[in-house]
Coordinates of all heavy atoms in Angstrom, one line a residue:
R2 N 0.9 -1.2 0.0 CA 0.1 0.0 0.0 C 0.8 1.2 0.0 O 1.9 1.3 0.7 CB -0.9 0.0 1.2 CG -1.8 -1.2 1.2 CD -2.8 -1.2 2.3 NE -2.4 -0.7 3.6 CZ -3.1 -0.8 4.7 NH1 -4.3 -1.5 4.8 NH2 -2.7 -0.3 5.8
E3 N 0.4 2.3 -0.8 CA 1.3 3.5 -0.8 C 1.2 4.3 0.4 O 2.1 4.9 0.8 CB 0.8 4.3 -2.2 CG 1.3 3.7 -3.5 CD 0.9 4.6 -4.6 OE1 0.6 5.8 -4.4 OE2 0.8 4.1 -5.7
A4 N 0.0 4.3 1.0 CA -0.3 5.2 2.1 C 0.6 4.9 3.4 O 1.2 5.8 4.0 CB -1.7 5.0 2.6
D5 N 0.8 3.6 3.7 CA 1.7 3.3 4.8 C 2.8 2.3 4.6 O 3.5 2.0 5.5 CB 0.8 2.8 6.0 CG -0.1 1.6 5.5 OD1 0.2 0.9 4.5 OD2 -1.0 1.1 6.3
G6 N 2.9 1.8 3.3 CA 4.0 0.9 3.1 C 3.7 -0.5 3.5 O 4.6 -1.4 3.2
C7 N 2.6 -0.8 4.1 CA 2.3 -2.1 4.4 C 1.8 -3.0 3.4 O 1.4 -2.4 2.4 CB 1.2 -2.1 5.6 SG 1.9 -1.5 7.2
F8 N 1.8 -4.2 3.6 CA 1.3 -5.1 2.5 C -0.2 -5.6 2.8 O -0.7 -5.6 4.0 CB 2.1 -6.4 2.4 CG 3.5 -6.0 1.9 CD1 4.6 -5.8 2.7 CD2 3.8 -6.1 0.5 CE1 5.8 -5.4 2.4 CE2 5.1 -5.8 0.1 CZ 6.1 -5.3 0.9
A9 N -0.8 -5.9 1.7 CA -2.3 -6.4 1.7 C -2.6 -7.3 0.6 O -1.7 -7.5 -0.2 CB -3.2 -5.1 1.7
W10 N -3.6 -7.9 0.5 CA -4.0 -8.8 -0.7 C -5.4 -8.4 -1.2 O -6.2 -7.7 -0.6 CB -3.9 -10.2 -0.3 CG -4.7 -10.6 0.9 CD1 -4.3 -10.9 2.2 CD2 -6.1 -10.9 1.0 NE1 -5.2 -11.2 3.0 CE2 -6.4 -11.3 2.4 CE3 -7.2 -10.8 0.0 CZ2 -7.7 -11.5 2.8 CZ3 -8.5 -11.0 0.6 CH2 -8.7 -11.4 1.9
S11 N -5.6 -8.8 -2.4 CA -7.1 -8.6 -3.0 C -7.3 -9.8 -3.8 O -6.5 -10.6 -4.3 CB -7.1 -7.4 -3.8 OG -6.3 -7.6 -5.0
I12 N -8.6 -10.1 -3.9 CA -9.2 -11.2 -4.7 C -10.1 -10.7 -5.6 O -11.2 -10.0 -5.3 CB -9.8 -12.2 -3.8 CG1 -8.9 -12.9 -2.8 CG2 -10.4 -13.5 -4.7 CD1 -9.5 -13.8 -1.7
N13 N -9.9 -10.7 -6.9 CA -10.7 -10.1 -8.0 C -11.5 -11.0 -8.8 O -10.9 -12.0 -9.3 CB -9.8 -9.2 -8.9 CG -8.9 -8.3 -8.1 OD1 -9.4 -7.6 -7.3 ND2 -7.7 -8.3 -8.5
G14 N -12.8 -10.8 -9.0 CA -13.6 -11.7 -10.0 C -14.2 -12.9 -9.4 O -14.0 -13.2 -8.2
G15 N -15.0 -13.5 -10.1 CA -15.7 -14.7 -9.7 C -16.9 -14.4 -8.9 O -16.9 -13.4 -8.0
D16 N -18.0 -15.2 -9.1 CA -19.2 -15.2 -8.3 C -19.8 -13.8 -8.1 O -20.6 -13.6 -7.1 CB -18.9 -15.8 -6.9 CG -18.6 -17.2 -7.1 OD1 -18.8 -17.9 -8.2 OD2 -18.1 -17.8 -6.1
D17 N -19.6 -12.8 -9.0 CA -20.2 -11.5 -8.9 C -20.1 -10.9 -7.5 O -20.9 -10.0 -7.2 CB -21.7 -11.6 -9.3 CG -22.0 -12.1 -10.8 OD1 -21.0 -11.7 -11.6 OD2 -22.9 -12.8 -10.9
V18 N -19.1 -11.2 -6.9 CA -18.7 -10.7 -5.5 C -17.9 -9.3 -5.6 O -18.1 -8.5 -4.8 CB -18.0 -11.7 -4.7 CG1 -17.7 -11.1 -3.4 CG2 -18.8 -12.9 -4.5
G19 N -17.3 -9.1 -6.7 CA -16.5 -7.9 -6.9 C -15.0 -8.2 -6.3 O -14.7 -9.3 -6.3
T20 N -14.4 -7.2 -5.8 CA -13.1 -7.3 -5.2 C -13.2 -7.4 -3.7 O -13.8 -6.5 -3.1 CB -12.2 -6.3 -5.7 OG1 -12.2 -6.1 -7.2 CG2 -10.8 -6.3 -5.3
Q21 N -12.4 -8.4 -3.2 CA -12.4 -8.5 -1.8 C -10.9 -8.1 -1.3 O -10.0 -8.6 -1.9 CB -12.6 -10.0 -1.4 CG -12.4 -10.2 0.1 CD -12.7 -11.7 0.4 OE1 -13.0 -12.5 -0.4 NE2 -12.3 -12.2 1.6
F22 N -10.8 -7.3 -0.3 CA -9.5 -6.8 0.2 C -9.2 -7.4 1.6 O -10.3 -7.6 2.3 CB -9.4 -5.3 0.1 CG -9.3 -4.7 -1.1 CD1 -10.6 -4.2 -1.8 CD2 -8.1 -4.5 -1.9 CE1 -10.5 -3.6 -3.0 CE2 -8.1 -3.9 -3.1 CZ -9.3 -3.5 -3.6
S23 N -8.0 -7.5 1.9 CA -7.7 -8.0 3.3 C -8.1 -6.9 4.2 O -8.0 -5.8 3.9 CB -6.2 -8.3 3.4 OG -5.4 -7.2 3.1
E24 N -8.6 -7.4 5.4 CA -9.0 -6.5 6.4 C -7.8 -5.9 7.2 O -7.9 -4.8 7.9 CB -10.1 -7.1 7.3 CG -11.3 -7.5 6.6 CD -12.3 -8.2 7.6 OE1 -11.9 -8.4 8.8 OE2 -13.3 -8.7 7.1
S25 N -6.7 -6.7 7.2 CA -5.5 -6.2 7.9 C -4.4 -5.8 7.0 O -4.5 -6.1 5.8 CB -5.0 -7.4 8.7 OG -6.0 -7.8 9.6
A26 N -3.4 -5.1 7.6 CA -2.2 -4.7 6.9 C -1.0 -5.5 7.5 O -1.2 -5.8 8.6 CB -1.9 -3.2 7.1
Y27 N -0.1 -6.0 6.7 CA 0.9 -6.8 7.1 C 2.3 -6.0 6.9 O 2.5 -5.4 5.8 CB 1.0 -8.1 6.4 CG -0.4 -8.7 6.5 CD1 -1.4 -8.5 5.6 CD2 -0.6 -9.5 7.6 CE1 -2.7 -9.0 5.7 CE2 -1.9 -10.2 7.8 CZ -2.9 -9.8 6.8 OH -4.2 -10.4 6.9
E28 N 3.1 -6.2 7.9 CA 4.5 -5.5 7.7 C 5.4 -6.2 6.7 O 6.2 -5.4 6.0 CB 5.3 -5.7 9.1 CG 4.7 -4.9 10.2 CD 4.7 -3.4 10.0 OE1 5.9 -3.0 9.6 OE2 3.8 -2.7 10.3
I29 N 5.3 -7.5 6.4 CA 6.1 -8.1 5.4 C 5.2 -8.8 4.4 O 4.1 -9.3 4.7 CB 7.1 -9.0 6.0 CG1 6.5 -10.1 6.9 CG2 8.2 -8.2 6.8 CD1 7.5 -11.0 7.5
E30 N 5.7 -8.9 3.2 CA 4.9 -9.5 2.1 C 4.5 -10.9 2.3 O 3.4 -11.4 2.0 CB 5.8 -9.4 0.8 CG 5.1 -9.7 -0.5 CD 6.0 -9.5 -1.6 OE1 7.0 -10.1 -1.7 OE2 5.7 -8.7 -2.4
C31 N 5.5 -11.7 2.9 CA 5.1 -13.1 3.2 C 3.9 -13.3 4.2 O 3.1 -14.3 4.0 CB 6.3 -13.9 3.6 SG 7.1 -13.6 5.1
D32 N 3.8 -12.3 5.1 CA 2.6 -12.5 6.1 C 1.2 -12.2 5.3 O 0.3 -12.9 5.5 CB 2.8 -11.4 7.2 CG 3.8 -11.9 8.2 OD1 4.3 -13.0 8.2 OD2 4.3 -11.0 9.0
A33 N 1.3 -11.3 4.3 CA 0.2 -11.1 3.5 C -0.1 -12.3 2.6 O -1.4 -12.7 2.5 CB 0.3 -9.8 2.7
M34 N 0.8 -13.0 2.1 CA 0.6 -14.2 1.4 C 0.1 -15.3 2.3 O -0.9 -16.0 1.7 CB 2.0 -14.6 0.7 CG 2.0 -15.9 0.0 SD 1.1 -15.8 -1.6 CE 2.4 -14.9 -2.5
E35 N 0.5 -15.4 3.4 CA 0.0 -16.5 4.3 C -1.4 -16.2 4.6 O -2.3 -17.2 4.7 CB 0.8 -16.4 5.6 CG 2.2 -17.0 5.5 CD 2.3 -18.5 5.2 OE1 1.4 -19.3 5.8 OE2 3.2 -19.1 4.6
S36 N -1.7 -15.0 4.8 CA -3.3 -14.6 5.1 C -4.1 -15.0 3.9 O -5.2 -15.5 4.1 CB -3.3 -13.1 5.5 OG -4.7 -12.7 5.6
L37 N -3.6 -14.5 2.7 CA -4.3 -14.8 1.5 C -4.6 -16.3 1.4 O -5.6 -16.8 1.0 CB -3.6 -14.4 0.3 CG -4.1 -14.7 -1.1 CD1 -5.6 -14.1 -1.2 CD2 -3.3 -14.1 -2.1
M38 N -3.5 -17.2 1.6 CA -3.7 -18.6 1.5 C -4.7 -19.1 2.6 O -5.5 -20.1 2.2 CB -2.3 -19.3 1.7 CG -1.4 -19.1 0.5 SD 0.1 -20.1 0.5 CE 1.2 -19.1 1.6
D39 N -4.7 -18.6 3.7 CA -5.7 -19.0 4.7 C -7.1 -18.7 4.3 O -8.0 -19.6 4.4 CB -5.4 -18.2 6.1 CG -4.2 -18.7 6.8 OD1 -3.7 -19.8 6.4 OD2 -3.7 -18.0 7.7
V40 N -7.4 -17.5 3.6 CA -8.7 -17.2 3.3 C -9.1 -18.0 2.0 O -10.3 -18.5 1.9 CB -8.6 -15.7 2.8 CG1 -9.9 -15.3 2.0 CG2 -8.5 -14.7 4.0
L41 N -8.2 -18.4 1.2 CA -8.5 -19.2 0.1 C -8.5 -20.7 0.5 O -8.8 -21.7 -0.3 CB -7.5 -19.1 -1.0 CG -7.5 -17.7 -1.7 CD1 -6.5 -17.5 -2.6 CD2 -9.0 -17.4 -2.3

């Protein structure tokens, strides 16, 4: 994210849900990736 430099994730498309964004911000990229894998 440009605003604070933290990492986040998004899921785009499918099931007419639109775009889903992570609710949390993560200090490092791999933590955001782990969170994304948990959600999926």
Side-chain angles (χ1 to χ4, degrees):
R2 301 186 323 190
E3 289 183 20
D5 58 9
C7 290
F8 292 90
W10 53 257
S11 67
I12 302 171
N13 306 312
D16 297 346
D17 298 325
V18 176
T20 302
Q21 177 184 354
F22 289 94
S23 56
E24 294 178 6
S25 300
Y27 304 92
E28 292 290 321
I29 55 177
E30 190 175 60
C31 65
D32 287 346
M34 176 73 75
E35 289 288 329
S36 172
L37 174 62
M38 287 188 277
D39 290 342
V40 168
L41 296 172

